[in-house]
């Protein structure tokens, strides 16, 4: 897949598919390649393909039929980005989810600082390293992000924290729910580097056995994600 330095993988895929639609390679009414075909051709994850199709659908270039696929509906340039009403409801839902995570995971981190063992530290650090590798290669970092938070829940030695996290799961990782251009203040890489830096601050506090520090750094990390998203929600009149 051709890359541009400051484009996310999703933006690259949107651009390339849109170019093929405009050129007529994907004709009006034609079905787009399947998810698997796009993954194989462009070397991206299923998450990236789904985000790209959602972007194209929001731009009016494709429509989707459940169980059938995505179809070209018109041959026009992508419109300027705006937050549609349905996207706004998802954004608000993610913010509410982060409010819940702040309450739950801050305390899980504090308990992890008290109760962690060496294998817990290895698991948390491994998740940070995996995320750093994903950022460097431009691959999907969501699983590494999930593993970081799940490892801390396990280190709390309280199965309820693990069960709550597994129940909430991927739906509360903001970029798993929102299109990548939500994070327009930074490139996606810069955004993820900030997230992983915050992860490492939590790790350092847990490793030191610093209960208050672990609680505070986790609260800061999740509150920062919430605040950044809240700034993108327009005031409703």
């Amino acid at each position: 897949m051709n890359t541009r330095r400051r484009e996310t993988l999703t933006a690259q895929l949107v651009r390339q598919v849109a170019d093929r639609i405009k050129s007529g390679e994907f004709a009006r009414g034609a079905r787009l390649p399947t998810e698997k075909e796009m993954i194989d051709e462009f070397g991206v994850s299923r998450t990236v393909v789904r985000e790209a199709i959602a972007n194209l659908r929001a731009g009016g270039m494709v429509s989707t039929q459940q169980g059938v696929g995505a179809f070209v509906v018109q041959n026009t340039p992508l419109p300027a980005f705006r937050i549609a009403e349905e996207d706004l409801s998802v954004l608000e839902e993610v913010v509410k989810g982060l409010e819940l995570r702040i309450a739950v995971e801050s305390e899980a981190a504090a308990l992890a600082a008290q109760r962690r063992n060496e294998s817990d530290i290895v698991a948390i650090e491994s998740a940070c390293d995996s995320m750093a590798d994903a950022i460097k290669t431009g691959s999907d970092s969501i699983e590494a992000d999930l593993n970081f938070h799940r490892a801390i829940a396990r280190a709390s030695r309280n199965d309820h924290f693990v069960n709550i996290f597994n129940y909430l799961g991927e739906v509360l990782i903001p970029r798993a729910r929102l299109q990548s251009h939500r994070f327009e203040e930074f490139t996606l890489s810069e955004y993820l580097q900030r997230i992983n830096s915050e992860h490492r601050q939590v790790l350092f506090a847990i490793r030191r056995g610093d209960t208050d520090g672990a609680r505070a750094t986790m609260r800061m990390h999740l509150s920062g994600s919430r605040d950044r998203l809240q700034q993108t929600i327009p005031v409703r009149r």
Side-chain angles (χ1 to χ4, degrees):
M1 185 178 201
N2 294 329
T3 62
R4 292 186 179 180
R5 181 177 177 81
R6 298 184 67 82
E7 276 191 324
T8 66
L9 291 174
T10 298
Q12 290 174 42
L13 184 55
V14 168
R15 175 175 53 78
Q16 293 197 21
V17 174
D19 286 347
R20 293 188 187 187
I21 291 173
K22 293 171 194 174
S23 71
E25 182 178 345
F26 294 153
R28 182 174 182 143
R31 185 170 70 85
L32 292 181
T34 65
E35 278 187 4
K36 184 178 185 309
E37 289 169 339
M38 291 183 118
I39 290 168
D40 291 343
E41 178 177 357
F42 296 104
V44 295
S45 69
R46 179 170 281 104
T47 299
V48 169
V49 171
R50 290 179 177 176
E51 286 180 347
I53 295 300
N55 286 3
L56 291 163
R57 186 177 64 237
M61 299 194 82
V62 305
S63 63
T64 56
Q65 296 180 32
Q66 187 171 3
V68 180
F71 296 82
V72 179
V73 295
Q74 64 183 43
N75 242 348
T76 58
L78 286 172
F81 170 68
R82 65 180 179 83
I83 298 179
E85 189 67 24
E86 61 269 22
D87 293 332
L88 182 58
S89 66
V90 172
L91 186 62
E92 291 172 337
E93 179 189 340
V94 172
V95 168
K96 290 177 182 177
L98 283 166
E99 290 174 347
L100 175 60
R101 289 185 64 192
I102 290 166
V104 172
E105 293 193 54
S106 296
E107 196 57 34
L111 291 173
Q114 294 177 19
R115 302 171 179 175
R116 85 286 183 271
N117 58 32
E118 189 55 35
S119 65
D120 294 319
I121 297 299
V122 169
I124 298 169
E125 187 166 23
S126 175
C128 291
D129 292 342
S130 294
M131 189 165 181
D133 290 341
I135 294 168
K136 287 179 183 176
T137 60
S139 54
D140 191 349
S141 63
I142 290 175
E143 189 62 32
D145 199 338
L146 288 167
N147 287 341
F148 170 81
H149 290 278
R150 188 178 290 114
I152 290 174
R154 287 175 178 148
S156 74
R157 296 292 178 272
N158 184 326
D159 290 343
H160 293 301
F161 283 115
V162 180
N163 292 338
I164 288 173
F165 185 82
N166 286 338
Y167 172 72
L168 298 174
E170 186 174 310
V171 298
L172 294 188
I173 300 293
R175 65 189 181 284
R177 298 293 308 279
L178 302 170
Q179 298 168 8
S180 295
H181 52 218
R182 289 280 185 265
F183 311 106
E184 58 190 359
E185 183 182 355
F186 307 97
T187 65
L188 182 58
S189 175
E190 289 168 336
Y191 172 82
L192 294 177
Q193 286 171 7
R194 172 188 282 192
I195 294 299
N196 209 28
S197 175
E198 293 171 0
H199 283 183
R200 290 195 186 277
Q201 291 177 40
V202 179
L203 166 63
F204 296 154
I206 292 174
R207 177 184 282 145
R208 292 194 308 267
D210 181 355
T211 300
D212 291 338
R215 182 185 291 112
T217 51
M218 180 63 83
R219 178 173 290 276
M220 178 194 71
H221 165 54
L222 295 174
S223 295
S225 294
R226 178 203 59 195
D227 294 346
R228 285 188 289 270
L229 288 176
Q230 281 181 321
Q231 290 171 6
T232 70
I233 301 177
V235 176
R236 298 199 190 198
R237 300 185 183 277

